[in-house]
């Protein structure tokens, strides 16, 4: 499986420069007290990995990968592991930079706020992965892009409709009750949803014919 | 003789095409040329052998093992080149080496770099800068560099110029001399196969037309060139197919010796695989 991860990393290495530039821009903007763009960085990791699906598809790698030992399973596994690893590494770098920026600007660091924000961003990133990857495996990258647009659109519509019928103060009360457990709940939910997504993608790719 | 590859009654149905009871065996240490026109079913058969398509009927055994039940074990021992280019273009040969090192247990880095040097492929250049011939060579040496016992090559010479084709064919010959390897090589460029293939399996319209030893095939089959009058005297049982040209009849006969003994027709030409393919496909019965 290491081989598949190395191949995915090699394919996206040209994007590392872009990530590096974004991290520098983030640091400068942070130091100048301008807009916080830290949320973009982990999200970029998923976007970059999605481009690796395009390369695979364009160069007909998928059929070949099946002719390699354990190719069907490892192809899928490597996409998930590489995305998660990349997201976590970039998130850790961004968090450490946030601490540093906060220290330089205020001389005090609000550890909790920065960590919770970053966990939220990682969760959001993994949510995109959870929905996108099975759709990509089933329908291909191009259709998946339309899919994600429809998904976000659907969530906004359903959310706004629900907001009309549900008393938001009750929701906020419920959320404040969860607050003490928020981090652990987010981590558990993230692990479960990514695992379920991975299993669905694996099932799709195992059945796929080229 | 032990077979490394056995395909028995392979059937696969699509809306507009069907593989019908494909059956052939590749003995150990031999090269089999898998020939047929474009769309005859060569790539579909190879994809079934490699489990790239799974929903087929029939039995495929590689190294005596069922290919669907022993997929991973088998794939450690086979090298593959598919019809289409398949390496992501932004990778370099160095990346391919790193990738394959983490995939094949027997990956031989030294062998891979020796081949790169031999074929003047720069290890740190992106594949997109390579010509079609260079890409094919890279695919072939990647298929070779984990010491496979069986090579499955789908149209490895297609689209290459004659010089690149000759180089590629030479690679296969040198492997056979060095390693105890068997090769299934599909091609519609049959001249490449006449010199190197020990066996020929000819597939047309989803069916195996013949699967024979190459020498036996080229010795036994022949093209008889005759006039219309001579042709009308030939018994239908004594020829396979015929084609009427502007000036003469070209008749494909299966047993040259018997035919010579029976008929007094002087122009009996040696057959090439190209002639055989054309007459089998386009000839009349």
């Amino acid at each position: 499986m290491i081989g598949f991860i190395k191949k995915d990393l090699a394919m996206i290495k040209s994007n590392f420069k872009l990530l590096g530039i974004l991290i520098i821009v983030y640091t400068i903007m942070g130091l100048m007290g301008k807009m916080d763009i830290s949320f973009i960085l982990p999200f970029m990791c998923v976007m970059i990995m999605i481009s690796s699906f395009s390369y695979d598809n364009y160069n007909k790698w998928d059929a070949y990968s099946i002719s390699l030992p354990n190719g069907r399973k490892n192809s899928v596994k490597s996409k998930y592991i590489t995305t998660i690893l990349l997201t976590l590494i970039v998130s850790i770098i961004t968090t450490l930079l946030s601490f540093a920026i906060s220290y330089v600007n205020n001389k005090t660091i609000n550890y909790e706020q920065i960590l919770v924000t970053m966990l939220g961003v990682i969760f959001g990133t993994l949510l995109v992965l959870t929905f996108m990857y099975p759709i990509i495996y089933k329908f291909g990258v191009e259709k998946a892009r339309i899919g994600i647009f429809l998904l976000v659109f659907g969530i906004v519509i359903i959310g706004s409709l629900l907001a009309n019928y549900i008393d938001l103060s009750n929701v906020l009360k419920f959320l404040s009750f969860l607050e003490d457990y928020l981090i652990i709940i987010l981590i558990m939910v993230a692990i479960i949803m990514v695992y379920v997504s991975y299993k669905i993608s694996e099932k799709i790719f195992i059945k796929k014919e080229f | 003789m032990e077979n490394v590859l056995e395909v028995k009654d392979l059937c696969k149905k699509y809306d507009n095409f069907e593989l019908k009871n494909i059956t052939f065996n590749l003995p150990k240490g031999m090269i089999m040329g898998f020939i047929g026109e474009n769309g005859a079913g060569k790539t579909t058969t190879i994809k079934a052998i490699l489990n790239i398509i799974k929903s087929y009927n029939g039995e495929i055994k590689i190294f005596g093992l069922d290919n669907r039940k022993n997929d991973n074990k088998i794939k450690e021992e086979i090298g593959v080149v598919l019809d289409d280019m398949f390496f992501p273009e932004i990778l370099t040969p160095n990346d391919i080496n790193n990738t394959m090192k983490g995939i094949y247990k027997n990956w031989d880095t030294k062998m891979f770099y020796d081949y790169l040097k031999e074929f003047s492929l720069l290890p740190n250049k992106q594949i997109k800068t390579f010509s079609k011939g260079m890409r094919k060579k890279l695919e072939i040496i990647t298929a070779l560099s984990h010491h496979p016992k069986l090579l499955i090559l789908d149209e490895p010479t297609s689209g290459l110029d004659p010089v690149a084709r000759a180089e590629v064919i030479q690679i296969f010959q040198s492997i056979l001399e060095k390693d105890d390897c068997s090769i299934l090589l599909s091609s519609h460029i049959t001249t490449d196969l006449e010199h190197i293939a020990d066996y020929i399996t000819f597939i047309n319209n989803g069916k195996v037309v013949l699967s024979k030893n190459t020498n036996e095939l080229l010795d036994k089959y022949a093209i008889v060139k005759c006039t219309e009058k001579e042709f009308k005297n030939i018994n239908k049982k004594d020829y396979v197919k015929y084609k009427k040209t502007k000036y003469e009849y070209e008749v494909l006969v299966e047993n040259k010796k018997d035919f010579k003994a029976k008929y007094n027709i002087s122009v009996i030409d040696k057959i090439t695989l190209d002639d055989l393919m054309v007459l089998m496909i386009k000839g009349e019965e």
Side-chain angles (χ1 to χ4, degrees):
Chain A
M1 207 238 333
I2 290 291
F4 287 89
I5 294 178
K6 283 183 178 174
K7 173 236 148 209
D8 281 336
L9 285 174
M11 279 206 303
I12 57 166
K13 68 185 170 199
S14 58
N15 292 293
F16 290 167
K17 263 187 207 159
L18 176 70
L19 264 181
I21 292 168
L22 274 178
I23 287 173
I24 293 167
V25 170
Y26 161 63
T27 312
I28 294 168
M29 285 176 89
L31 287 172
M32 287 164 64
K34 302 268 175 179
M35 199 172 63
D36 182 0
I37 59 157
S38 60
F39 66 94
I40 290 177
L41 296 167
F43 191 68
M44 277 296 293
C45 299
V46 177
M47 291 296 120
I48 289 169
M49 277 305 290
I50 287 173
S51 71
S52 80
F53 281 99
S54 300
Y55 282 127
D56 284 348
N57 186 272
Y58 178 72
N59 294 290
K60 299 187 171 75
W61 164 265
D62 286 333
Y64 177 69
S65 75
I66 294 169
S67 75
L68 299 170
N70 227 340
R72 283 188 191 264
K73 284 193 170 184
N74 282 340
S75 279
V76 180
K77 211 186 271 177
S78 89
K79 289 281 185 222
Y80 276 81
I81 289 178
T82 314
T83 314
I84 293 166
L85 275 179
L86 199 65
T87 306
L88 290 180
I89 290 168
V90 170
S91 300
I92 289 168
I93 293 172
T94 315
T95 309
L96 291 175
L97 277 170
S98 295
F99 289 158
I101 292 165
S102 183
Y103 178 75
V104 172
N105 287 348
N106 312 319
K107 304 289 176 202
T108 52
I109 307 171
N110 189 344
Y111 288 104
E112 204 185 322
Q113 195 198 338
I114 292 172
L115 278 176
V116 169
T117 309
M118 201 37 79
L119 270 175
V121 172
I122 294 174
F123 186 80
T125 309
L126 295 180
L127 198 66
V128 175
L129 170 151
T130 298
F131 282 104
M132 282 290 271
Y133 283 20
I135 299 174
I136 291 175
Y137 277 111
K138 184 75 185 170
F139 302 107
V141 185
E142 293 314 314
K143 283 182 188 162
R145 285 204 176 113
I146 302 167
I148 195 76
F149 172 74
L150 292 175
L151 189 80
V152 173
F153 192 66
I155 288 171
V156 172
I157 298 281
I158 291 167
S160 60
L161 283 175
L162 282 178
N164 289 333
Y165 296 102
I166 295 169
D167 187 356
L168 277 176
S169 61
N170 282 340
V171 177
L172 290 174
K173 257 187 233 164
F174 180 66
L175 282 177
S176 64
F177 163 74
L178 285 179
E179 202 179 344
D180 296 341
Y181 309 100
L182 190 63
I183 293 177
I184 193 86
I185 288 172
L186 273 184
I187 293 172
M188 293 298 288
V189 171
I191 291 172
I192 292 168
M193 68 183 194
V194 170
Y195 183 74
V196 170
S197 164
Y198 161 64
K199 280 291 169 190
I200 294 171
S201 295
E202 189 188 67
K203 211 170 177 184
I204 293 169
F205 199 63
I206 281 176
K207 280 187 181 167
K208 211 161 188 180
E209 297 190 339
F210 292 90
Chain B
M1 198 185 287
E2 191 188 335
N3 292 323
V4 284
L5 171 66
E6 292 167 45
V7 179
K8 199 175 165 197
D9 294 328
L10 170 65
C11 299
K12 167 83 184 169
K13 204 169 180 179
Y14 292 102
D15 289 342
N16 52 355
F17 174 72
E18 194 181 351
L19 282 185
K20 292 163 221 154
N21 298 309
I22 301 288
T23 301
F24 64 88
N25 296 323
L26 169 59
K28 192 179 174 184
M30 300 292 168
I31 298 187
M32 176 177 280
F34 193 38
I35 64 169
E37 63 180 334
N38 290 328
K42 303 189 293 290
T43 298
T44 310
T45 305
I46 284 176
K47 283 184 173 174
I49 293 170
L50 294 170
N51 277 333
I52 294 173
I53 54 170
K54 296 167 90 181
S55 55
Y56 57 80
N57 293 319
E59 191 181 49
I60 298 173
K61 280 187 176 179
I62 302 177
F63 313 125
L65 303 167
D66 183 288
N67 76 329
R68 283 188 276 206
K69 287 181 192 151
N70 301 277
D71 191 53
N72 294 332
K73 197 175 171 188
I74 289 169
K75 281 173 181 171
E76 280 286 351
E77 307 282 356
I78 59 176
V80 174
V81 174
L82 297 178
D83 190 6
D84 292 313
M85 307 279 171
F86 47 79
F87 286 140
E89 302 183 315
I90 48 169
L91 298 185
T92 64
N94 279 336
D95 296 328
I96 300 295
N97 176 58
N98 288 331
T99 300
M100 295 304 161
K101 209 160 51 176
I103 290 177
Y104 287 113
K105 284 180 194 151
N106 294 332
W107 181 255
D108 189 338
T109 298
K110 189 184 171 298
M111 188 184 197
F112 181 73
Y113 279 99
D114 285 348
Y115 271 131
L116 285 183
K117 208 173 167 187
E118 192 178 333
F119 295 106
S120 310
L121 299 173
L122 293 173
N124 54 358
K125 281 266 176 213
Q126 282 192 332
I127 295 170
K128 66 180 171 195
T129 64
F130 289 177
S131 68
K132 203 171 179 187
M134 289 159 91
R135 288 179 199 210
K136 231 14 168 194
K137 280 183 210 163
L138 177 65
E139 289 171 2
I140 291 164
I141 64 179
T142 306
L144 297 176
S145 296
H146 63 286
H147 305 281
K149 289 183 187 155
L150 170 64
L151 279 172
I152 297 178
L153 312 163
D154 193 6
E155 304 276 1
T157 53
S158 136
L160 302 185
D161 62 65
V163 178
R165 260 172 42 213
E167 280 179 320
V168 164
I169 295 292
Q170 203 191 346
I171 304 174
F172 300 144
Q173 279 171 324
S174 69
I175 306 156
L176 282 180
E177 283 161 18
K178 274 188 248 168
D179 290 320
D180 187 16
C181 186
S182 315
I183 302 178
L184 176 70
L185 199 165
S186 96
S187 182
H188 61 270
I189 307 167
T190 52
T191 42
D192 290 342
L193 298 171
E194 267 167 29
H195 305 294
I196 60 162
D198 304 292
Y199 288 84
I200 294 290
T201 294
F202 174 25
I203 179 173
N204 186 36
N205 207 11
K207 278 194 265 184
V208 172
V209 179
L210 56 85
S211 186
K212 281 188 164 46
N213 178 299
T214 313
N215 290 337
E216 191 190 328
L217 191 127
L218 295 176
D219 280 349
K220 276 180 98 179
Y221 280 79
I223 292 187
V224 175
K225 289 181 177 165
C226 57
T227 61
E228 189 173 358
K229 198 180 162 197
E230 284 171 322
F231 174 70
K232 280 184 176 158
N233 285 329
I234 304 172
N235 190 320
K236 263 197 164 186
K237 278 187 280 177
D238 292 329
Y239 68 84
V240 187
K241 294 256 176 128
Y242 76 93
K243 193 173 80 177
K244 193 181 169 188
T245 66
K246 202 173 176 184
Y247 304 106
E248 59 192 0
Y249 276 73
E250 286 182 2
V251 185
L252 177 68
V253 297
E254 193 175 344
N255 199 322
K256 192 164 50 182
K257 266 189 189 166
D258 287 357
F259 190 89
K260 263 185 181 171
K262 199 167 172 184
Y263 297 98
N264 187 22
I265 297 174
S266 55
V267 188
I268 300 180
D269 287 350
K270 268 191 102 172
I271 198 162
T272 63
L273 289 176
D274 257 357
D275 299 332
L276 184 79
M277 245 173 80
V278 172
L279 270 163
M280 283 282 199
I281 296 167
K282 296 287 175 202
E284 291 171 53
E285 280 180 23

